[in-house]
Amino acid sequence: MLWLIDRILESGAGVLAGEYTPRAFYGDTLFDLDRPRGLPIGNLTSQFWANVYLNPFDHFVKRELGCLAYLRYVDDFILFSDDKAEVQAWLAAIVTRLARLRLTIHPGAHARPVAEGLPFLGFTVFPTHRRLKRRKGVAFVRRYRQLRRAFHSRELSLEQLTASVRGWINHVRYGDTWGLRRALLASHLI
């Protein structure tokens, strides 16, 4: 089992090396900046390993911080409180705790009212509804054009095209996207 785990983790080595600037953590040496990082993107085990790795963090948020309303999916998480000062204190504690795990928080993370909408899993989540982030819709339109071109040039089968579109629909259906899906797919028929 350990051999298999090593092979899976090694398969992600260098995949996004140019995308990130190495970050030094307290106690690092110069050699630590060259250490391999991350999981293989898209690998089916990445969600599992994120849950294993962040399990102690979940316990920290619930037990030590005392956060009663907390959501996490892989590396995306939200904490809820009625007290802005409490959320800011939690953020400082979380930054410190994640540094122990050699992780950082996105620089745009900050306390905000839920009425403004919270970014989570490709959506902006409001108390009454969820909207797909604009860039996610734009990215799909571009991808769909590429898929249609590949289909017309016979590089892609109808089944492959359909599977890709269904995958996107299965994700965005969790938001209020009926009108968006109808508009995008009706205006871009095969």
Side-chain angles (χ1 to χ4, degrees):
M1 184 62 104
L2 291 175
W3 173 87
L4 179 59
I5 291 168
D6 285 341
R7 298 295 83 73
I8 292 169
L9 294 176
E10 288 171 5
S11 73
V15 171
L16 296 175
E19 298 289 322
Y20 302 103
T21 304
R23 166 97 194 280
F25 291 90
Y26 179 77
D28 279 355
T29 67
L30 288 175
F31 300 107
D32 289 325
L33 294 178
D34 272 345
R35 100 178 65 69
R37 303 175 307 135
L39 292 168
I41 300 298
N43 187 289
L44 295 175
T45 62
S46 63
Q47 294 172 0
F48 169 78
W49 289 118
N51 285 334
V52 168
Y53 195 66
L54 290 173
N55 182 52
F57 175 72
D58 294 336
H59 290 281
F60 166 74
V61 169
K62 298 297 285 179
R63 293 185 178 143
E64 292 183 40
L65 295 182
C67 179
L68 298 176
Y70 164 66
L71 299 170
R72 181 177 66 80
Y73 180 77
V74 188
D75 64 345
D76 219 352
F77 61 89
I78 301 176
L79 289 80
F80 295 92
S81 174
D82 291 328
D83 184 356
K84 186 174 181 178
E86 181 177 51
V87 173
Q88 290 170 335
W90 287 347
L91 180 58
I94 285 170
V95 167
T96 301
R97 180 55 61 113
L98 287 177
R100 290 185 196 173
L101 298 171
R102 310 185 82 69
L103 297 172
T104 59
I105 294 256
H106 189 277
H110 63 280
R112 70 177 74 170
V114 291
E116 288 180 11
L118 303 172
F120 191 64
L121 304 177
F123 295 94
T124 303
V125 181
F126 296 91
T128 58
H129 62 286
R130 289 178 295 278
R131 297 186 68 189
L132 185 69
K133 288 184 177 179
R134 183 181 186 284
R135 66 184 171 93
K136 298 293 184 180
V138 169
F140 172 74
V141 169
R142 288 187 186 131
R143 174 81 175 126
Y144 189 46
R145 280 188 199 130
Q146 293 171 344
L147 291 169
R148 285 191 349 243
R149 277 192 289 262
F151 172 73
H152 288 298
S153 64
R154 300 190 194 287
E155 298 168 27
L156 190 71
S157 70
L158 180 59
E159 291 79 22
Q160 291 169 310
L161 174 63
T162 302
S164 184
V165 171
R166 282 188 180 152
W168 181 77
I169 289 171
N170 281 332
H171 172 67
V172 301
R173 70 187 171 99
Y174 291 103
D176 299 313
T177 60
W178 174 249
L180 173 68
R181 287 181 277 156
R182 187 178 59 225
L184 289 179
L185 296 174
S187 65
H188 296 93
L189 293 175
I190 297 174

